[in-house]
């Protein structure tokens, strides 16, 4: 085993924590031709199972919004006249498996970066909600939603245990009610019954930059045992024993 191989085995990544911020956008029935970007942020804890596979618990605050009236009339007059809008702040908690494509070792210049892929399941819950649909006499609650996140990112070890990363997360959802306007809803306005698209479930994505800290376990060679020092008592007795042994063996020494 050469010195380089021994060095690789001295450091083991046990866990990692990180924080991030970025922008999010939703894809649904409102303002389908004009995406709206909102600020999102969050953090994660990851347990590293081996050199390539980790299990990540993710928490993210995701405000989502869309405004029909801001859609240009030349692009989609139907949507602009409909005039629906919503802005809902969601919290997303997800559990993902994360896979490194390359070996990643903190503090090693040869293995200090790697792209990665994550996937799993999450739970989306609304915190704050603003919308003009449904109307006041037709109240409804924003549902809790199951998400299926797909995460693609790139990580770079800056120094020691500190890393920089960027990632894009696309979330498929179990609901068509992120914007409160599902396939079965009708919005009457000005004698027209406005209907949503039939594109299926709503989706959203987020792009983020962040910093993380890796908890490392460092292995090294066992320290050499320290030589025992003689004290005043043992030093005298050892000298006497050596003298006796020398005298006994001297009797049998060939002259």
């Amino acid at each position: 085993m050469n010195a380089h191989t021994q060095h690789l085995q001295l450091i083991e990544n046990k866990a990692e924590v990180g924080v991030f911020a970025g922008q999010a956008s939703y894809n649904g029935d409102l303002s389908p031709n004009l995406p709206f970007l909102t600020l999102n942020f969050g953090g994660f804890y990851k347990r590293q199972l081996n050199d390539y596979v980790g299990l990540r618990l993710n928490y993210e605050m995701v405000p989502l919004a869309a405004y029909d009236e801001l859609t240009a009339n030349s692009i989609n007059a139907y949507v602009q006249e409909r005039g629906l809008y919503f802005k809902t702040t969601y919290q997303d908690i997800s559990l993902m498996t994360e896979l490194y494509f390359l070996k990643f070792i903190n503090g090693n210049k040869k293995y200090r970066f790697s792209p990665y892929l994550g996937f799993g399941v999450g739970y989306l819950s609304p915190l704050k909600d603003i919308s003009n649909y449904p109307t006041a006499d037709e109240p409804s609650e924003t549902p809790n939603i199951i998400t299926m996140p797909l995460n693609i990112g790139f990580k770079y070890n800056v120094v020691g245990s500190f890393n920089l990363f960027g990632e894009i997360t696309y979330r498929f959802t179990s609901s068509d009610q992120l914007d409160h306007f599902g396939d079965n809803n009708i919005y009457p306005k000005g004698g027209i019954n406005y209907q949503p698209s039939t594109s299926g479930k709503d989706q959203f994505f987020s792009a983020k930059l962040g910093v993380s800290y890796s908890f490392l376990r460092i292995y090294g060679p066992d320290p050499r045992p320290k030589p025992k020092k003689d004290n005043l008592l043992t030093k005298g007795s050892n000298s006497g024993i050596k003298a006796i042994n020398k005298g006994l063996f001297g009797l049998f020494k060939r002259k």
Side-chain angles (χ1 to χ4, degrees):
M1 182 180 295
N2 57 40
H4 179 66
T5 304
Q6 292 176 352
H7 175 71
L8 296 185
Q9 294 178 344
L10 293 180
I11 299 178
E12 181 183 3
N13 190 340
K14 302 295 292 183
E16 184 180 1
V17 294
V19 292
F20 52 80
Q23 292 187 314
S25 180
Y26 121 104
N27 179 22
D29 299 289
L30 303 192
S31 187
N33 306 109
L34 183 63
F36 288 86
L37 299 178
T38 55
L39 179 65
N40 72 304
F41 58 92
F44 72 87
Y45 170 80
K46 186 177 72 167
R47 179 70 176 177
Q48 197 68 33
L49 303 180
N50 57 42
D51 288 342
Y52 295 94
V53 182
L55 194 61
R56 170 172 165 174
L57 180 64
N58 201 77
Y59 178 83
E60 192 168 343
M61 295 285 290
V62 189
L64 299 177
Y67 300 85
D68 279 347
E69 292 182 350
L70 297 182
T71 303
N73 186 67
S74 59
I75 297 177
N76 196 327
Y78 180 86
V79 169
Q80 188 188 51
E81 290 295 329
R82 184 176 60 189
L84 288 175
Y85 67 85
F86 88 101
K87 185 176 182 180
T88 303
T89 299
Y90 290 96
Q91 60 178 350
D92 180 82
I93 302 174
S94 59
L95 185 64
M96 293 187 288
T97 298
E98 191 169 279
L99 308 173
Y100 285 137
F101 291 146
L102 304 173
K103 184 183 289 290
F104 183 85
I105 302 177
N106 290 79
N108 188 291
K109 293 182 178 180
K110 186 177 179 181
Y111 300 103
R112 69 190 313 172
F113 64 90
S114 177
Y116 57 89
L117 172 69
F119 53 90
V121 62
Y123 177 78
L124 195 67
S125 178
L127 294 178
K128 184 179 180 180
D129 186 28
I130 300 174
S131 173
N132 66 341
Y133 181 87
T135 57
D137 58 341
E138 297 176 352
S140 70
E141 296 182 356
T142 304
N144 296 317
I145 298 169
I146 301 299
T147 65
M148 286 72 72
L150 179 63
N151 196 39
I152 299 176
F154 184 88
K155 184 177 296 180
Y156 179 82
N157 175 235
V158 180
V159 61
S161 295
F162 291 94
N163 315 297
L164 292 177
F165 65 92
E167 60 186 28
I168 296 175
T169 308
Y170 199 93
R171 291 178 175 86
F172 302 91
T173 75
S174 63
S175 174
D176 193 31
Q177 293 288 339
L178 280 180
D179 48 20
H180 316 285
F181 199 42
D183 289 345
N184 298 323
N185 298 131
I186 296 177
Y187 179 56
K189 180 183 177 182
I192 301 176
N193 289 331
Y194 289 94
Q195 297 179 341
S197 66
T198 56
S199 56
K201 309 297 184 183
D202 295 332
Q203 304 165 9
F204 66 98
F205 78 94
S206 56
K208 299 151 288 185
L209 294 175
V211 60
S212 68
Y213 180 87
S214 299
F215 295 93
L216 307 176
R217 184 173 183 180
I218 300 177
Y219 301 89
D222 295 332
R224 295 181 179 179
K226 295 181 180 181
K228 296 182 179 179
K229 295 182 179 180
D230 294 332
N231 55 37
L232 294 177
L233 296 177
T234 59
K235 185 176 182 180
S237 60
N238 288 339
S239 299
I241 293 173
K242 290 180 180 179
I244 295 173
N245 290 337
K246 184 176 181 180
L248 292 175
F249 283 104
L251 298 174
F252 300 97
K253 185 176 180 181
R254 179 179 298 177
K255 295 183 179 179

